[in-house]
Every structure is written in C-alpha cells, then in structure tokens.
Amino acid sequence: MAGSGGCRRGREQLELERLGEAARAGSCPPSPPLSACSRQAWSRDNPGFEPEEEGAAAAAAGPVLEMDVEWGSPAAGASSPLGSGAAGPGGGGRRQRRVPAGRGGTEVPGRHQVPPDGAAPHRAAWAKRLARRLRGLWGTRLMEESNTSRERYLKSVLRELVTYMVFLVVLCVLTYGTVSSSMYYYTRVLSQLFLETPVSKMEKTDFKTLSTMDDFWKFTEGPLLDGLYWEMWYNNKTMAENKSFIYYENLLLGVPRIRQLKVRNGSCSIPEDLKDEIKDCYDVYSVADEDTAPFGLRNGTAWTYTNEKDLNGSSHWGLIATYSGAGYYQDLSRNREMTAVQIASLKKNLWLDRGTRAAFIDFSIYNANINLFCIVRLLVEFPATGGLVTSWQFQPVRLIHYISTFDFFLAACEMAFCLFVLYYMVEEILEIRIHRLHYFRSLWNCLDILIIVLSVAAIGISIYRTSTVDTLLKKLLEDQNSFPNFEPLAYWQMQFNNIAAVTVFFVWIKLFKFVNFNRTMSQLSTTMSRCVKDVVGFAIMFFIIFLAYAQLAYLVFGTQIDDFSTFQDCIFTQFRIILGDFNFTEVEEANRILGPIYFTTFVFFMFFILLNMFLAIINDTYSEVKSDMAQQKAEMELSDLIRKGYNKAMIKLKLKKTAVDDISESLRQGGGKLNFDELRQDLKGKGHTDAEIEAIFTKYDQDGDQELTEHEHQQMRDDLEKEREDLDLDRSSLPRPLSSRSFPRSLDDSEEDEDEDSGHSSRRRGSSSSGVSYEEFQVLMRRVDRMEHSIGSIVSKIDAVIVKLEAMERAKIKRRDVLGRLLDGVTEDERLGRDNEIHREQMERLVREELERWESDDTASQMSHRLGTPLGLNGQPRSRNSRPSSSQSDGIDGGGGGGGNNIHV
C-alpha cells in the first residue's frame, strides 16, 4: 500500500510538472473550463466542489489546478500527495483552493499552508454544507433535476416513501389510540338503559316507540328517573349521599336539563272558509316563527324564554328540522325525589302544548374506570302533523389526557405528528416555490395540501378542546348543582372525529402515489386515467335514467313507503336495489300497476344493461393498458432498488456470495469447456438475471460458438481474480478520506461501480476508487463529446438511408401499378382479338428505361465506391446494394432488349 501511494504521488508530481511546462511553453492549450451545466452538476453532486469565478485575476494567474483539501484528518494528511502540510487545524471541513501550477517541477511557495484568513472561508464552507444537508431533508422527487438518473430518482422516492410511512404509522397510532372497544360498550349499555326500557311494566312502549305527549311524560317519570338516579344498592342499602352512579360505575355530573322550543300561535294562515272552525294555527318549526313570550306560570326559566347566547347553546340538526340553542329550560335536581316533583309540576301546568316542536333532555356522565365522558342528548320532536319522532345522541369523549403510561406515549406521538405536519408544510412550500403554478396541476400535490389543511384543523380543535374542558371542570367543581354544558365539546369532538377519519382516509389513498412506481400496481391508476372520458359519458347517460326513475318513485311511492319518503331516500334506495337490497312487497302494495313496472324496468335497464356497459368500459381499457405495458421497455423499479440494497447488505455481511464468486464457482464446476446454457442455468439459480449472464458470456466468447474454450476460460478466470482483488481493495479503502486533488465521486456512482459485473478493467476500478482527477475528467469529457458527435452523424446517415428506401418503395409501387395496367390491356386485347402492338411497344419502352436506370445506378455506385462516397438515385447518397432484386420488381421476369413477347407476370 505504501508503494502504491508513493507511485501515485510521483505520478501526480509529474502531472503538475507537465502542466507547468505547458503553461510556460504555450505548446499546448490548458484544459478547457467546465461548462455551466457541468459545473452545476458537479456542485450538486459533490458538496465540496465550488465553481470558481472567472475573471482577470484568474487569467493573469495562468493555469490553475482545483484543489480539494481535506482538513482535520490524520489519514488525509498522510495519504495526500502534496504532503502533510495540507492538513490544518480547521476541523473536519473541506474547501477549494486555486493553486498556480508550478514550473519545472518546483514547489510553489505557500501552496501547502493555510492562508491567514482561511478560517472565514472554512466557516462559510461549513455553513454552506450544513445548509445543503438541511435542504436535503426535504428532498423529494419534485425537487430532483429533470436529467437525474433513474436510480437516484427512485432513491428520492424511496426516502420519501419511508418518511411518509413513518408519518402514516404515527397518525394511525394517534387515531386508533383515541378510540377503543370500551367506547362502543359504553354507548351500548347506556342506550339499552334509556332507549329500550319500557315506560311501565304493563306497556312495551320505550323511548324509540313513543307516539304521544302522554308517552313522553310516562318516559320522564319512569325510565328517565330510574336511569339517572341509582341511590340504592340491590340489597336496598343507600349509596353515597347526594351522588348518583349510573350502573354503579358512571358518575352523573351536575344536574340534568330539560328544554323545549315552541312556535307562536298564528304562525300559519287559515283559509277563510275554516276560520270559524279553527281558531289556533301552529306552523312547522323555524327560527323566525319561534315563540319567545312567557306562558303558563310565567316565573322561572321553565316558563320564560332564554336566548341562545345566555344558554351558551348551539343549533342541533334533528330529523325534521334544525333547532336553535335557545328555549324554555328546567334544570333538574341531584336526587330523585326533587326531580320527580319538578317533572310533576311541569306536567300539571301543561308545560308541553300544541306549540311545542322539540323537547331536549341533556345530561353528562363520567366513568373513571376507562377515563371517558359521555354526553347524552335525547330529542323528542313534535311535528306539525301530530305525534312525535324520537332521536338520540351518545357521544363518548376522552377529555382528560395524560394519566396512564399509554397516554404519555400518545403525547409523544402527538408531538411527532406536529413535527411531521411542520415538515410537510416546509416541503410543500419549497415545491411550490420551485414549480409555481405548475405545482397545482398534479392531483397528488393538491391532495398533499388537503392533508396538511385537515391536519392543522385537527390540531387546532384538539388544542381548543383541551383548554375548554379545564374551564368547564373547574366551574363544575365550584357548583355541583348546575348543569355542565359539555354540548360544545361534544360538537367539536364530533368534528374532530370526522376530520381525523377523513385525514386517515386520504393519507392511505396517497400511498397509491408511491405504489404507482411498480408496473403491476400502476395499471389501476393508468386504467382509471385512460377511461375517464368514457366513464364521464357513461355517467351522464346513467344518471339521466337513474334520476328519472328516482322522481317516478318519489311521486308514486313517497306517501306510503318510508324508503321513498324523500327524494334523497329514493336515490339511496335505488342504489340499494342495484346491490340487491330491496323489498318488492312494499313497492307492489303501494301501487299494484306502476310498482311492478317500475321495479322490472329499473332492474333491467340499470343492472343488466348500464352496469354491464360500465364493466365493459373498464375491462376494455384495462386490456389496452396491460398490452401497452407489456410492450414498454422495462425500467428500474422500487422493488429492484430494494432488492439491490438487500443484496449489497447480504454481501457485506458475508451472508451471500458476490457475482465474482458465483461465476468462479461455475467455471470450476464446468471443467475445460463451459456451455452457455449450463452457465445460465447455474447463475440463474443463484439469483442473477439473463441480461447479466448474457453480457458476461458475450464478452469472453470471442469465437461466438456458445462455448468457452480453455483460453477463454482462463481469461475469464484471470479477470475474475482481479475483480475480486479490486473489490477487497475497495472495501478496505472505504473508511479512508478522498484524495486531496481529486473530485469525490457521488454515492450513486460508487454504487453503480460495485454492481457492474465484469465490464471494467481492474486498473480503472483501482484508480477510480479514490476519485477522478481534474485532467482525467477533462479527457473523458472530450471523449464523450466526440462519441456523441460520431453517434449523431451515424444516426443522421441512417435517417437519410431510411428516407431513400421509402422513396424507392413508393417508386416501385408506382411502376408496378403502371405495368399491371398495361398487362391488363394486353390480356384484354388478346381476349377480344384486337391488335395489341401499341401496348407491347409501351411495355418494351418501360422495360428498356428501367434497365437503363439500373445500369446507370450501378455505374454511379461503382464510381462513388472508388471515390469513397456512396451515391444512390439521382446522385444522392445511397447503399451499393440499392439495385432491386427480382423479388423486389415482383412483376417482371426475363425482359431482354427485344424480348417483349416473353414478358409475363
């Protein structure tokens, strides 16, 4: 290793001397500077490279050499070809220096010394490197350059996917950690207690089946009081004084509240003919028709109106109407006896009358065993038609946080979630800054914005809920005989649950953005995008027929069947019919004629025709997408990148053999000769692809007989041994810093070199393991430019040949048509017995012209061959073998100078 390092230092010293001599003598021009694109690429891939400013000072200094100096590493100082003086006390940084090339091999004074003001550039370089790494944290595929390699692009996608999966896991832990099966059983036992308990032992009516005001009062005096106040144990022993534990486990917080809303008399108009018979009229509920006047006893909150602001209430969406948070209310007591007296007084004084449109029963309970509040609302609506309709709401919420160990784990997840939201906000801002308005053209980008907005809204609601519950609990502890209004918390908790559910849904949907990089998985998105127009056209036709049937059903069955009572219910019911969930008996009983006709025609058109048309559109598009993908060129996928990284890890852990070891083992087993099929079968069993195997075999099979001879066998063995030595050398040199005068290669380039099978020589790999020098880079760049120029000229010549071939093909078809018409004319003259001398003369002239053209083409091609320029028709460049064969003429055989009678098709 020491010898190789000395040789390398000597070679680099000679290169410095050569550059100095060239600059002094002016015999050869200095290496051209990097182009703008090359500078940008080097500065992007190599954080240590800084493109220098080109000015008068640089021109006056003469030829310069880019120096990438290592700082603060003993190994760097030892291995540097410029001496140990390049290592300074600046830490582990790296900076660029412009050093004038020496003359005649002499050292340039001060070249290895740090300038007095070197600390400031070193700090600037360190700050730039830190900023670049921080920017790399938000590196996504939208921030990659358009000319980025496929592997680097997939690495950005993979990094983005891993980050997103961590975010998804954190979000799922948060959402599923706030809900549990205890919430379901909590609401279930409470609903059984208050909704399914009969109003009396002699009646089976419960809250769900209430039908009159008398049933409502029976419910409040029976199941409601029994459910709210558990003051006695089953052995008739009294529980704690002035406290009620529902089911002996759930503490009743404060006192319950009963509230009603009324409409005023005269809110609707009575026909003139019936005014003598009908004196009072109460319209359906609306805020404008709400009654605010005192009534009954006219004292207390139960008989006087209180507005929504004073009650700190909010509107409620019922089954019939949306009700405000105001009204007439009565707070009940903490014991059963006083509450029974209050309810009896309300009933006696006719608290509910014809103007009542809704009655609310609200109370809140807390279960310390599972740390859950339950906010209960029982609603009884009195429609203008008479009777009543019941609905209910049991909302379990976790308002007290950070008690158990799992709660603190959720707190950590909440902090991580907030950091992720902040991270993605910065990421989207950077992407919008780069792409401007083009950013919003992608559906996935709009989905990212939506997820961030929903996440911020959920965080705000959670903070508001946590701060509000502390105030309410403090107020409740101060006055336990008041009603704790947890209704706003229940509302915001419901909104939080809805936002969390929608957010989790969209976050899972976004996984398709990353899954689409797999060919198989991308078929779904490609199919849907291709059939959008057809699906939209089909949807228009579908909904025209669907809505026509919905209106028919609403008008015919709306007054008799609950499923068709509203137009919205008709739409949902018809979707259920398509899925097979229907009740034909109700439809038939509602209308014996139109019922069966409606049902039969609807099922026939919607299910048997339109639904199958939709499936046919999807099926045809999927077949097209699948056939197109089968013809596309296979590209590197995420699975290939992951498999590649896995194989590297297994090789480094020595749990899997390298390609060199596998090929060497196959050669040892093959003996003197090795067949291609045997090698392919053996290496495929060890995980290598057909392309790799064919490339290796083609390289060493020089005679092309599909077998490796002893000489070819030995050559492959020697190269594989060198390859193994280079791999070992690369592994041993991985921890070492890069050379001080070489550009560091990017991580992608080094990984590509390690993965190549056997196409590179050992010398090239050995020399490039520590970097590529500036001179070598310039030489390689010039070679690539010449190669691109040569390939471009070849492609242009191929295009010219293709154009000429197409022109020849068109001329051949035209001549064939002319000869065909002439032959048809000769045949017709012979059949009719007419003189065909004119047609024969025309054919002889055409054949003679064709032969002369062929002879002139041959003469021109021979002359152009002698001159080195191939010419085709009319002096244009063409191939020597441009003369059509007998098969190309395809209509002429024989055809001598005067043999017109011997021409046949």
Side-chain angles (χ1 to χ4, degrees):
M1 296 296 293
S4 62
C7 294
R8 188 180 299 111
R9 287 194 296 270
R11 184 168 60 253
E12 293 177 350
Q13 185 63 33
L14 290 175
E15 291 174 357
L16 288 174
E17 295 174 2
R18 179 174 55 81
L19 286 176
E21 293 173 359
R24 181 175 65 255
S27 57
C28 58
S31 300
L34 291 173
S35 61
C37 60
S38 301
R39 292 177 183 273
Q40 183 180 1
W42 278 102
S43 61
R44 183 178 64 252
D45 297 339
N46 302 282
F49 178 79
E50 295 290 343
E52 68 271 6
E53 295 292 336
E54 297 183 11
V64 295
L65 181 65
E66 288 291 343
M67 306 295 291
D68 193 6
V69 184
E70 300 288 344
W71 294 92
S73 175
S79 62
S80 174
L82 299 178
S84 59
R94 182 168 66 237
R95 69 185 184 89
Q96 296 293 328
R97 298 176 59 192
R98 298 175 56 89
V99 182
R103 302 189 179 188
T106 59
E107 292 285 344
V108 178
R111 180 167 54 183
H112 306 302
Q113 298 178 0
V114 181
D117 57 344
H122 169 64
R123 287 194 297 269
W126 180 85
K128 288 182 179 180
R129 187 160 53 255
L130 179 61
R132 188 179 293 109
R133 291 184 178 179
L134 289 177
R135 181 183 176 87
L137 292 176
W138 284 274
T140 63
R141 60 189 183 89
L142 290 180
M143 300 181 187
E144 291 288 343
E145 298 291 339
S146 58
N147 57 352
T148 304
S149 64
R150 177 70 176 178
E151 183 174 356
R152 175 173 294 181
Y153 180 78
L154 289 179
K155 284 183 179 180
S156 300
V157 173
L158 182 60
R159 180 178 58 182
E160 190 178 356
L161 173 60
V162 171
T163 306
Y164 188 76
M165 289 300 298
V166 176
F167 169 71
L168 178 60
V169 170
V170 171
L171 180 60
C172 291
V173 169
L174 280 178
T175 52
Y176 295 126
T178 56
V179 296
S180 64
S181 58
S182 300
M183 291 185 174
Y184 166 73
Y185 292 113
Y186 199 16
T187 57
R188 179 183 175 184
V189 296
L190 291 177
S191 62
Q192 289 176 347
L193 177 63
F194 291 100
L195 304 181
E196 300 178 6
T197 303
V199 296
S200 65
K201 296 182 179 179
M202 304 300 296
E203 300 181 36
K204 295 183 179 181
T205 303
D206 54 19
F207 182 81
K208 295 180 179 179
T209 58
L210 298 180
S211 58
T212 63
M213 289 186 180
D214 186 43
D215 292 339
F216 172 79
W217 290 116
K218 289 181 180 179
F219 169 76
T220 55
E221 293 173 340
L224 180 63
L225 293 180
D226 295 338
L228 287 176
Y229 302 101
W230 293 59
E231 300 176 350
M232 303 290 292
W233 283 95
Y234 55 85
N235 60 355
N236 295 327
K237 286 189 177 182
T238 306
M239 297 179 61
E241 184 179 358
N242 204 24
K243 290 184 179 179
S244 175
F245 285 89
I246 301 173
Y247 279 119
Y248 309 110
E249 302 291 347
N250 305 283
L251 175 65
L252 178 63
L253 300 175
V255 297
R257 170 177 289 179
I258 183 171
R259 176 173 63 95
Q260 73 157 327
L261 287 170
K262 302 177 61 178
V263 294
R264 64 178 179 270
N265 188 12
S267 55
C268 57
S269 58
I270 304 174
E272 293 291 338
D273 297 338
L274 299 177
K275 282 187 176 181
D276 296 336
E277 302 293 335
I278 301 175
K279 302 297 183 182
D280 301 325
C281 180
Y282 298 89
D283 200 358
V284 297
Y285 175 81
S286 66
V287 178
D289 295 333
E290 198 171 290
D291 190 4
T292 59
F295 74 103
L297 300 180
R298 297 178 179 269
N299 58 353
T301 57
W303 309 98
T304 57
Y305 181 83
T306 306
N307 58 37
E308 183 175 324
K309 182 178 180 181
D310 295 337
L311 285 177
N312 193 22
S314 59
S315 60
H316 181 86
W317 187 15
L319 297 178
I320 298 176
T322 300
Y323 304 96
S324 69
Y328 306 86
Y329 72 95
Q330 175 67 55
D331 288 341
L332 304 180
S333 178
R334 291 184 59 83
N335 58 71
R336 180 187 178 97
E337 290 76 13
M338 293 186 63
T339 301
V341 172
Q342 290 174 328
I343 292 177
S345 175
L346 294 176
K347 179 181 178 181
K348 179 180 179 181
N349 292 283
L350 201 64
W351 190 62
L352 300 180
D353 57 14
R354 290 183 57 190
T356 302
R357 288 294 173 259
F360 298 86
I361 302 174
D362 298 311
F363 58 93
S364 303
I365 58 178
Y366 173 71
N367 190 311
N369 301 331
I370 54 178
N371 188 26
L372 282 178
F373 290 80
C374 189
I375 303 165
V376 182
R377 166 165 286 183
L378 305 178
L379 172 60
V380 180
E381 299 178 74
F382 300 89
T385 57
L388 55 87
V389 179
T390 59
S391 59
W392 52 89
Q393 178 179 305
F394 296 88
Q395 187 63 44
V397 292
R398 191 184 303 275
L399 299 178
I400 301 177
H401 299 279
Y402 318 127
I403 296 179
S404 63
T405 305
F406 184 72
D407 291 339
F408 287 103
F409 172 72
L410 289 180
C413 292
E414 289 175 355
M415 296 176 61
F417 177 76
C418 294
L419 292 177
F420 269 112
V421 172
L422 180 62
Y423 169 83
Y424 282 116
M425 288 176 64
V426 175
E427 178 181 294
E428 301 308 317
I429 291 173
L430 291 176
E431 292 181 354
I432 293 174
R433 182 181 178 184
I434 294 174
H435 298 279
R436 304 294 180 178
L437 295 179
H438 294 278
Y439 171 87
F440 297 97
R441 293 185 179 181
S442 173
L443 180 62
W444 297 116
N445 296 337
C446 297
L447 183 61
D448 292 339
I449 298 296
L450 179 60
I451 291 175
I452 292 175
V453 171
L454 292 175
S455 301
V456 172
I459 293 173
I461 292 176
S462 180
I463 294 174
Y464 169 79
R465 181 187 59 188
T466 304
S467 60
T468 305
V469 69
D470 294 336
T471 305
L472 288 176
L473 289 178
K474 183 179 180 180
K475 182 179 179 181
L476 175 63
L477 293 175
E478 293 176 353
D479 186 7
Q480 298 185 6
N481 291 321
S482 62
F483 170 73
N485 188 9
F486 287 97
E487 178 191 351
L489 288 179
Y491 170 78
W492 287 113
Q493 178 64 33
M494 184 179 298
Q495 303 306 317
F496 176 82
N497 293 341
N498 296 336
I499 292 176
V502 174
T503 303
V504 172
F505 172 78
F506 284 127
V507 167
W508 276 101
I509 291 298
K510 189 185 170 183
L511 281 179
F512 280 103
K513 175 182 178 180
F514 305 101
V515 172
N516 284 341
F517 287 96
N518 184 279
R519 289 176 60 89
T520 304
M521 298 299 180
S522 63
Q523 292 181 3
L524 173 62
S525 60
T526 307
T527 301
M528 297 303 297
S529 61
R530 284 195 183 183
C531 67
V532 166
K533 294 183 179 179
D534 295 334
V535 170
V536 169
F538 166 81
I540 294 175
M541 178 177 59
F542 176 85
F543 281 106
I544 288 175
I545 301 177
F546 188 85
L547 295 177
Y549 273 103
Q551 293 191 7
L552 172 64
Y554 175 63
L555 296 175
V556 175
F557 314 117
T559 59
Q560 303 179 49
I561 303 177
D562 180 58
D563 291 338
F564 297 94
S565 58
T566 63
F567 184 72
Q568 295 85 350
D569 291 339
C570 291
I571 294 176
F572 294 127
T573 302
Q574 290 189 159
F575 278 116
R576 289 168 52 193
I577 293 176
I578 294 176
L579 297 176
D581 180 17
F582 56 87
N583 190 344
F584 177 73
T585 304
E586 289 184 349
V587 175
E588 187 180 19
E589 290 177 354
N591 194 313
R592 294 183 178 274
I593 299 176
L594 293 179
I597 295 176
Y598 159 81
F599 181 81
T600 304
T601 56
F602 178 80
V603 171
F604 177 76
F605 283 109
M606 304 303 296
F607 186 80
F608 290 104
I609 297 180
L610 294 179
L611 186 60
N612 284 282
M613 286 178 60
F614 175 74
L615 296 177
I617 292 172
I618 300 295
N619 190 25
D620 292 344
T621 308
Y622 178 76
S623 301
E624 294 177 1
V625 170
K626 195 171 182 180
S627 61
D628 292 345
M629 286 190 172
Q631 299 174 0
Q632 291 179 359
K633 180 182 178 181
E635 292 183 341
M636 189 176 187
E637 300 179 358
L638 275 178
S639 57
D640 300 329
L641 183 64
I642 296 173
R643 190 183 304 110
K644 177 180 176 181
Y646 170 77
N647 292 333
K648 284 185 180 180
M650 296 298 291
I651 292 173
K652 289 183 179 180
L653 295 175
K654 297 183 179 181
L655 299 177
K656 183 179 179 181
K657 294 182 179 179
T658 62
V660 176
D661 297 330
D662 291 337
I663 297 171
S664 299
E665 185 178 352
S666 300
L667 290 175
R668 285 195 298 269
Q669 295 175 358
K673 285 191 175 183
L674 186 62
N675 193 303
F676 175 71
D677 295 332
E678 297 175 356
L679 178 65
R680 181 174 60 183
Q681 184 177 1
D682 189 12
L683 293 182
K684 282 193 70 175
K686 296 176 181 177
H688 299 281
T689 62
D690 289 334
E692 295 173 348
I693 300 170
E694 186 175 354
I696 295 172
F697 200 90
T698 304
K699 179 180 178 181
Y700 293 99
D701 186 17
Q702 299 177 358
D703 52 5
D705 58 352
Q706 295 296 313
E707 287 186 356
L708 294 181
T709 62
E710 186 65 28
H711 175 69
E712 297 168 346
H713 189 166
Q714 186 62 34
Q715 184 181 359
M716 180 182 287
R717 189 186 300 275
D718 295 340
D719 288 346
L720 290 175
E721 291 298 330
K722 293 179 181 179
E723 194 78 12
R724 182 186 289 106
E725 294 175 0
D726 293 337
L727 289 175
D728 295 338
L729 182 61
D730 289 343
R731 292 195 190 99
S732 62
S733 62
L734 281 178
R736 296 186 305 170
L738 300 177
S739 175
S740 61
R741 68 180 296 275
S742 62
F743 294 115
R745 294 186 305 166
S746 63
L747 181 60
D748 297 331
D749 298 335
S750 60
E751 290 176 352
E752 290 174 0
D753 290 344
E754 290 177 4
D755 293 335
E756 291 178 357
D757 296 319
S758 60
H760 301 330
S761 64
S762 60
R763 291 188 180 88
R764 180 181 175 185
R765 294 176 62 92
S767 63
S768 62
S769 61
S770 60
V772 180
S773 66
Y774 180 76
E775 293 79 13
E776 293 176 350
F777 171 74
Q778 293 292 335
V779 172
L780 292 176
M781 187 171 64
R782 286 193 293 271
R783 290 181 179 178
V784 171
D785 292 338
R786 287 196 297 268
M787 185 181 299
E788 291 179 351
H789 178 72
S790 302
I791 293 175
S793 62
I794 293 173
V795 170
S796 61
K797 292 178 181 179
I798 293 175
D799 292 338
V801 170
I802 292 174
V803 171
K804 294 302 178 182
L805 290 176
E806 292 177 352
M808 291 173 60
E809 185 68 21
R810 289 193 296 268
K812 182 181 69 174
I813 294 174
K814 184 177 180 180
R815 291 195 298 270
R816 184 185 302 170
D817 294 339
V818 173
L819 292 176
R821 288 195 298 270
L822 290 175
L823 291 174
D824 292 340
V826 172
T827 305
E828 184 68 19
D829 292 340
E830 290 179 352
R831 187 176 63 84
L832 299 176
R834 294 183 297 187
D835 186 11
N836 55 0
E837 187 65 26
I838 299 175
H839 291 94
R840 288 177 180 174
E841 291 178 357
Q842 292 178 352
M843 291 184 64
E844 288 177 1
R845 185 173 64 255
L846 287 174
V847 172
R848 191 178 299 110
E849 292 176 356
E850 189 69 21
L851 291 176
E852 290 176 357
R853 184 181 294 108
W854 287 353
E855 291 176 358
S856 64
D857 290 344
D858 289 340
T859 304
S861 63
Q862 291 175 4
M863 294 179 63
S864 63
H865 178 69
R866 294 171 184 173
L867 296 176
T869 306
L871 298 174
L873 292 174
N874 301 324
Q876 299 294 330
R878 54 161 295 176
S879 174
R880 289 190 61 189
N881 298 327
S882 61
R883 176 173 176 173
S885 62
S886 58
S887 61
Q888 289 177 333
S889 59
D890 199 23
I892 304 174
D893 286 338
N901 295 329
N902 297 326
I903 297 176
H904 65 275
V905 179

